[in-house]
Amino acid sequence: FAPLGVLALFPNVLVCTPSFEAKTLADVLRLARAQPGKLAYASSGNGSAQHLAGALFEAMAKVDLLHVPYRGGGPALNDVMGGQVPLFFANVASSLGHIQSGRLRPLAVTSRLRSRVLPDIPSLDEAGLKGFEVQEWNPVLAPAGVPATVRARLAAALRQAMSDPEVLGRVRALGGNLFEGNEREAQTFLQTQQALWARVVRERRITRE
């Protein structure tokens, strides 16, 4: 397959149970280092986006957390809100309502810059975990045999559709940003992402079981 483009980038947000004692990233790291393997984070399952985000966090912060996999993001999120597990790398779009209602407390977003829908919440990079960035993305792919001229027209149409004010407004309302690059830059981005997560999976020995 050949990428025509990446639609948009959506950051995650590290959230916690409202009563959790940590108020900042520094607090989370202090607690994790005080009791290696004890501080837990939930995910929607082994090998899920939340699991990988947590694994990268552990590697970059040099801490050992307890991964608690669930059968889906909904049950995981419910248990974090209920206090059974303190931490979760949530999608901003799906967790924003719970954050606004006070059922979740945000600690830091996973994009390099702050999210426009959570302007008071620092990024993990800003809060001290330099270089940390995790964003969810969806590419549009075409079969590799599609002629370059056809791919170029399709990619241009995709960029035009995504720049429509209504579409752009919806993306931004969900905390996302449009991917600004062309076909070549989309391909480079995807290759970089594949290399990053392949390394995390390999080094952290992550399996689906």
Side-chain angles (χ1 to χ4, degrees), residues 10 14 16 127 143:
F10 292 91
L14 177 60
C16 66

Side-chain angles (χ1 to χ4, degrees), residues 3-11 116 133 135-141 155-164 167-168 171-172 175-193:
L4 299 176
V6 177
L7 297 180
L9 303 175
F10 292 91
R116 61 172 51 84
E133 183 177 31
Q135 302 209 63
E136 297 184 13
W137 42 267
N138 295 99
V140 177
L141 307 175
L158 175 65
R159 287 195 296 273
Q160 182 177 0
M162 292 301 295
S163 63
D164 178 86
V167 174
L168 180 58
V171 169
R172 289 180 171 173
N177 292 293
L178 296 187
F179 183 84
E180 302 290 348
N182 57 27
E183 286 180 79
R184 185 183 298 275
E185 290 166 323
Q187 184 171 18
T188 299
F189 172 80
L190 293 177
Q191 289 172 340
T192 301
Q193 288 288 296

Side-chain angles (χ1 to χ4, degrees), residues 45-116:
N46 289 318
S48 65
Q50 301 88 13
H51 185 190
L52 294 180
L56 180 62
F57 180 91
E58 289 180 278
M60 293 186 65
K62 296 180 173 56
V63 296
D64 183 17
L65 303 178
L66 174 63
H67 172 227
V68 182
Y70 284 77
R71 293 183 180 273
L77 200 59
N78 285 337
D79 269 12
V80 174
M81 290 188 289
Q84 283 77 17
V85 182
L87 297 171
F88 186 61
F89 286 89
N91 178 281
V92 169
S94 62
S95 62
L96 185 58
H98 298 306
I99 291 171
Q100 292 171 335
S101 69
R103 299 183 70 193
L104 290 171
R105 181 155 50 80
L107 294 169
V109 295
T110 64
S111 51
R112 290 290 182 92
L113 302 176
R114 295 191 181 201
S115 169
R116 61 172 51 84

